[in-house]
Amino acid sequence: MHDNRSALMLEDEAMRVKFSLIVALSVMVIASNLLVMFVLCGAVPGWSRNSRYIMISLAVADLGVGLVVPLNLSASAELLVADKRSVFCEVAAFFNGVFFTSSIYSLTCISIERYLAVLLPLHYGSIVTSKTRTVLIAAAWLLPPLVLAPLCVPIGSVSVSFSSASLTCALDYASNVTYSIVLTFLVYFPCCSIITVANVQLWRAAHWHARNMRSRGMESRPHEDAASRVLLPVVLLFYALWSPCVFIMIYTGVTKIKVNQWIEFLSMWLPVFGSLLDCVVYFWINRSFRRRFQEIIAMLCKKALGREIGTGSRRRSFAGHMPSVCPGFPRTKVSGVGGAPGGTEGSKSCTDTNRNVVV
């Protein structure tokens, strides 16, 4: 009796830890991808329109991954008492698969676009046209529902079940081993091959260029060194996040043996963590993206400062120091304050260095 009570307490504690990790991860994925989409809505210096649109596709797919997490948690509350089939769980499993697959396809499109831009620059304009870009993005979003169409059939070729170990509604891979293996060959292995080949070639090109510059006694540009350091980890990160999930999918489908609950939990939620790391790898370590993000924050601070000055104006004592609203941005001179010519040195402001603030 005491042993049963201890086991129940440990199971409840594990459940609380899992819920906390899932909620925290979901919030971070949603917030980071919303910020990325907010920045990519405008032009980013150094980014072509093709790159920006494909990156937006990736951000939307990763945002969808974070948004379907509540579906799984709701299913957890409904189905935790028993592993039973429900329409709600099938809907959650379908959208899980669609957004995950679309995210992988978008990563593949990014690798293809970058490969053509760097290694075939003379032919890039003729190959990657607006039509080509549309086809790539459309394929990234239309292929996943087609691949996962069996889930929509009432008595489909594969069943869906709720896993109390991973707290997700997922395919029961053991119910149809053939479909599970075909799914991996349609999604994981083609994308994995393209991402690996493209990024390894890009890494070799960046590494060769940096070494060639050093052999001539010239310093390579910082972004070229960064490319040679980042591209290979991108491939390794992709393998680390997706390989455990695919391996367990094939293993459980073939052997019909359940793995340890924590191994299953981590393997199923590592791809969700990848939706957060995509923001770091593809966006936040990019200098142009960070600079554009700072410009947007500066613009918002400027508007906030303008409202603050407007509501408290009609007071001429503003000729002193302006309050610091945007720490970290360059100081500017405030000239013509209160209609007086000239200007005094103000505190940190969000304006451009050549712009004057007039009350």
Side-chain angles (χ1 to χ4, degrees):
M1 188 71 177
H2 179 70
D3 293 339
N4 291 337
R5 187 178 303 172
S6 299
L8 288 175
M9 290 178 62
L10 289 175
E11 186 175 348
D12 290 341
E13 183 64 26
M15 201 65 63
R16 283 194 292 269
V17 172
K18 290 178 182 178
F19 265 82
S20 301
L21 291 174
I22 291 172
V23 171
L25 181 59
S26 175
V27 170
M28 288 189 292
V29 168
I30 293 173
S32 58
N33 282 283
L34 282 176
L35 283 175
V36 167
M37 292 171 59
F38 178 67
V39 175
L40 291 180
C41 284
V44 178
W47 287 34
S48 67
R49 182 173 296 181
N50 294 326
S51 299
R52 193 158 54 88
Y53 284 178
I54 297 176
M55 291 290 190
I56 290 176
S57 174
L58 174 64
V60 172
D62 288 338
L63 176 64
V65 170
L67 290 175
V68 298
V69 170
L71 287 178
N72 289 285
L73 294 182
S74 300
S76 301
E78 177 188 353
L79 306 174
L80 201 54
V81 292
D83 292 350
K84 58 183 181 180
R85 187 184 182 97
S86 75
V87 176
F88 184 82
C89 200
E90 290 176 356
V91 171
F94 177 76
F95 281 105
N96 280 340
V98 166
F99 286 119
F100 276 129
T101 308
S102 181
S103 178
I104 295 180
Y105 283 157
S106 297
L107 287 173
T108 307
C109 292
I110 290 172
S111 298
I112 294 173
E113 190 269 339
R114 287 293 84 204
Y115 178 89
L116 295 173
V118 175
L119 298 181
L120 297 173
L122 298 180
H123 304 283
Y124 177 83
S126 59
I127 297 175
V128 186
T129 61
S130 59
K131 183 177 179 180
T132 307
R133 179 188 69 221
T134 304
V135 169
L136 287 174
I137 296 176
W141 285 97
L142 295 179
L143 286 178
L146 293 177
V147 172
L148 298 168
L151 295 180
C152 302
V153 181
I155 305 178
S157 59
V158 61
S159 63
V160 175
S161 62
F162 172 75
S163 172
S164 57
S166 60
L167 300 182
T168 57
C169 292
L171 307 180
D172 185 4
Y173 305 111
S175 64
N176 192 325
V177 180
T178 304
Y179 177 76
S180 301
I181 295 177
V182 169
L183 190 62
T184 60
F185 278 94
L186 287 176
V187 179
Y188 178 73
F189 288 112
C191 296
C192 181
S193 302
I194 294 173
I195 291 173
T196 301
V197 171
N199 282 280
V200 167
Q201 290 296 323
L202 289 171
W203 176 82
R204 290 179 61 185
H207 188 67
W208 176 85
H209 183 71
R211 185 174 59 182
N212 190 34
M213 294 288 287
R214 286 193 296 268
S215 66
R216 296 182 179 181
M218 303 170 62
E219 289 292 332
S220 58
R221 297 176 182 177
H223 71 272
E224 292 168 348
D225 289 335
S228 63
R229 291 193 302 268
V230 167
L231 289 171
L232 203 56
V234 164
V235 178
L236 299 177
L237 188 64
F238 179 82
Y239 278 108
L241 294 174
W242 284 97
S243 296
C245 179
V246 174
F247 173 77
I248 289 178
M249 182 175 72
I250 297 176
Y251 175 79
T252 56
V254 173
T255 64
K256 297 179 173 56
I257 299 175
K258 291 284 187 179
V259 297
N260 178 272
Q261 65 162 335
W262 282 104
I263 294 178
E264 181 180 348
F265 175 80
L266 291 176
S267 66
M268 294 302 168
W269 287 97
L270 273 177
V272 181
F273 183 60
S275 297
L276 174 63
L277 292 184
D278 285 344
C279 295
V280 178
V281 172
Y282 288 96
F283 300 105
W284 296 112
I285 63 175
N286 185 282
R287 182 180 301 174
S288 298
F289 182 87
R290 293 199 310 269
R291 187 175 301 163
R292 177 59 181 163
F293 177 74
Q294 291 174 352
E295 290 174 356
I296 292 176
I297 295 300
M299 180 182 64
L300 294 177
C301 288
K302 175 188 171 184
K303 291 182 179 179
L305 176 61
R307 286 195 296 267
E308 179 182 338
I309 296 174
T311 54
S313 68
R314 308 298 180 256
R315 54 187 184 195
R316 302 304 182 184
S317 60
F318 179 70
H321 293 281
M322 286 176 14
S324 176
V325 225
C326 299
F329 290 92
R331 295 175 178 269
T332 60
K333 290 188 177 182
V334 181
S335 59
V337 176
T344 57
E345 180 73 11
S347 66
K348 294 182 181 180
S349 131
C350 307
T351 57
D352 193 84
T353 51
N354 296 322
R355 190 173 305 227
N356 297 327
V357 178
V358 181
V359 179

